[in-house]
Amino acid sequence: MKDNDNLNKKIDEYYDGLLEKNHELNNVLEKMNVINDIEEKVQLNINIDETLKRAEDIKIKKYTKRFIGVAIAFSLVMLSLASKLNFENIIIIQSVMLVLLLAVNIFLRSNNLKENGNE
Amino acid sequence: MFHSEDEIELIKKAKDGDKEALEILIANNFSIIKGYVLKLTCDIELSKDIVQETLLSAMVNINSFKGKSKFSTWLIKIATNKYKDYLRKNKENMDISLLASTYSIEDDIVIRTQVKEVLEILEEMPREKRVVFILKHYYGYSYEEISDILNCPVGTVRSRLHYSVKTIIKKFKGDF
């Protein structure tokens, strides 16, 4: 237990830059620094432009799904109303709903375009 | 760790849909995330996949970045989770030989041997201990920051670091 506490203390001292230079822990941990610059030695061929395009596609799909969700919700409302109203009222409500859906579509599309930097 | 004013500006622009700002933000942090994932996986091919998935996720979810930490810390958190997800579906099967061989062209044999030795130590460490050691040793995160990245208590972070350092001492046959 005492050994563990002592090691913890030395670890903290090392990372706080307070451990004496010739301490064994210092020497051991310094050896781990040999891979510090590993990112400069290894090449990972990742095309950021292409990844950005993939991200845009995913966002468009996300907005489409959201729109379909809203449309389904509207349809369900319509269905429940249709069972209680006469034909003329259904036509009026459907027209209002259509305008609302178009407005939602325009809103979601402009949001999407804004997020993709095309606006 | 707080981010610079330039980074704050870039994040704001990226959130507003500025593609160029997002690209600069990613490019500025590419090296950090690449180095982190290479040390974490010790495998070039897997690193490529994890880095790509991390960047993709960051680009899609840029609006959910709250700005409480540096952007690189957020990327590191995503990458750590991506690797965890990968390990849920696949067995950890590192191929350090390829990574170690990248040092062989320009570097001398002593460096090459040391690199291989260090990669072997990391490879043998359990993942959760390796992550803590990498974040503390190579990136200088505080215990609290690591606890936030890994979503675990500070005490757990401390004990995992203790275990990793003990393993390293044992491997180098230090007489601490």
Side-chain angles (χ1 to χ4, degrees):
Chain A
M1 192 70 185
K2 207 179 169 188
D3 280 353
N4 282 348
D5 288 346
N6 191 33
L7 178 59
N8 276 341
K9 202 178 139 204
K10 292 295 171 195
I11 291 170
D12 283 348
E13 281 178 16
Y14 173 80
Y15 287 114
D16 289 340
L18 301 170
L19 192 67
E20 56 266 39
K21 285 274 178 260
N22 55 354
H23 195 281
E24 273 154 331
L25 180 63
N26 209 5
N27 299 334
V28 165
L29 288 177
E30 289 301 304
K31 284 182 186 172
M32 297 300 285
N33 291 344
V34 74
I35 59 159
N36 259 347
D37 61 346
I38 200 161
E39 56 268 33
E40 286 161 28
K41 301 276 177 186
V42 181
Q43 220 177 347
L44 292 185
N45 295 319
I46 293 172
N47 189 332
I48 294 179
D49 271 346
E50 206 176 284
T51 313
L52 206 59
K53 273 179 201 150
R54 268 181 70 198
E56 280 170 24
D57 286 346
I58 292 172
K59 275 183 181 177
I60 289 169
K61 276 181 195 159
K62 223 163 93 177
Y63 281 109
T64 308
K65 275 183 195 163
R66 212 182 285 177
F67 177 71
I68 290 171
V70 173
I72 289 171
F74 271 129
S75 310
L76 288 174
V77 172
M78 277 304 299
L79 194 71
S80 67
L81 286 175
S83 58
K84 291 166 192 164
L85 297 170
N86 59 29
F87 184 73
E88 289 81 12
N89 286 336
I90 289 170
I91 294 294
I92 293 165
I93 291 169
Q94 261 187 337
S95 309
V96 173
M97 290 290 192
L98 186 67
V99 172
L100 275 173
L101 270 177
L102 283 170
V104 170
N105 189 23
I106 290 165
F107 173 73
L108 289 176
R109 273 190 64 198
S110 67
N111 250 4
N112 185 31
L113 285 171
K114 203 178 153 198
E115 278 188 20
N116 290 327
N118 295 331
E119 207 176 56
Chain B
M1 281 190 185
F2 297 103
H3 31 208
S4 68
E5 284 195 18
D6 282 352
E7 191 176 87
I8 294 171
E9 192 57 33
L10 283 171
I11 292 165
K12 196 175 165 287
K13 282 183 180 172
K15 280 185 172 184
D16 286 343
D18 187 332
K19 260 201 280 184
E20 210 184 313
L22 184 59
E23 254 187 282
I24 296 170
L25 203 54
I26 295 291
N28 287 350
N29 292 282
F30 184 69
S31 181
I32 296 176
I33 196 68
K34 179 180 156 190
Y36 171 69
V37 176
L38 279 168
K39 287 174 193 111
L40 182 64
T41 64
C42 299
D43 186 299
I44 294 180
E45 276 311 304
L46 181 57
S47 291
K48 194 183 161 188
D49 293 344
I50 302 282
V51 171
Q52 200 147 26
E53 286 304 309
T54 301
L55 298 183
L56 185 68
S57 185
M59 287 167 180
V60 171
N61 301 301
I62 183 73
N63 285 319
S64 66
F65 176 58
K66 304 263 190 313
K68 285 180 188 164
S69 61
K70 281 177 80 177
F71 189 70
S72 57
T73 306
W74 187 57
L75 289 180
I76 281 177
K77 199 170 181 173
I78 298 174
T80 308
N81 289 333
K82 292 279 170 200
Y83 187 48
K84 208 169 153 186
D85 288 347
Y86 168 83
L87 290 180
R88 253 185 229 134
K89 293 167 203 154
N90 305 276
K91 213 179 145 215
E92 194 165 45
N93 187 20
M94 295 167 163
D95 182 11
I96 63 159
S97 57
L98 200 61
L99 194 53
S101 71
T102 55
Y103 279 79
S104 61
I105 305 161
E106 295 158 1
D107 303 292
D108 61 48
I109 187 118
V110 180
I111 301 277
R112 264 185 282 159
T113 314
Q114 286 172 348
V115 166
K116 199 163 177 278
E117 209 171 8
V118 167
L119 289 174
E120 274 167 3
I121 291 171
L122 289 177
E123 182 196 25
E124 281 170 29
M125 256 184 224
R127 181 195 59 85
E128 64 272 19
K129 272 117 187 166
R130 191 187 325 134
V131 178
V132 171
F133 178 75
I134 291 170
L135 291 173
K136 184 73 187 165
H137 188 78
Y138 297 106
Y139 297 93
Y141 282 108
S142 67
Y143 293 116
E144 287 74 20
E145 284 169 324
I146 299 173
S147 133
D148 184 54
I149 291 170
L150 302 178
N151 212 11
C152 69
V154 173
T156 309
V157 173
R158 275 183 164 275
S159 68
R160 284 177 185 173
L161 183 70
H162 179 101
Y163 174 94
S164 355
V165 172
K166 224 171 174 176
T167 309
I168 294 164
I169 294 168
K170 225 181 263 176
K171 292 284 170 188
F172 283 122
K173 295 193 189 336
D175 300 320
F176 179 76

